[in-house]
Amino acid sequence: VEDTAAGTFAENADAEALAAEWKEGHIVGLILAAVVFGLYYRTLYPSIPGGDSPELIVAACELGVAHPPGYPTFTMLGWLFTFLPLGTIAHRVNLLSACCGVGA
């Protein structure tokens, strides 16, 4: 019986150490993500940039289809971002790009 109790105690101690290490790693990751998001937000394009961005912004705003392949996930998320109460619509959709960059 003692061997089982000692084994359980050792397993619990190992599990607690792993949980603490996991928590510490996630805290560092969240801090790093916040710093990266701050940098992206600071350099975020405030209006309509060149390239394909205007087409994607309009598609997100109207729930339309951009040129093939259409980027349906970006369009739907961009449409949700257009409801945020800050900046222009272009700024809001560009903010989605920054969030996707941080999430990657």
Side-chain angles (χ1 to χ4, degrees):
V1 176
E2 290 180 36
D3 292 336
T4 305
T8 304
F9 178 74
E11 290 172 4
N12 286 341
D14 289 341
E16 288 176 11
L18 286 173
E21 183 179 320
W22 180 84
K23 184 177 180 182
E24 181 180 305
H26 279 75
I27 290 172
V28 170
L30 289 174
I31 291 170
L32 184 60
V35 169
V36 170
F37 179 76
L39 179 64
Y40 279 159
Y41 189 78
R42 180 85 171 118
T43 61
L44 192 66
Y45 206 87
S47 63
I48 298 175
D52 288 341
S53 295
E55 184 179 3
L56 294 172
I57 290 169
V58 170
C61 188
E62 297 180 349
L63 279 179
V65 177
H67 64 278
Y71 311 107
T73 304
F74 184 86
T75 300
M76 295 298 290
L77 290 174
W79 180 73
L80 291 174
F81 269 68
T82 62
F83 293 105
L84 293 175
L86 45 99
T88 63
I89 289 178
H91 183 263
R92 297 173 204 166
V93 177
N94 290 335
L95 181 62
L96 170 62
S97 296
C99 290
C100 289
V102 170

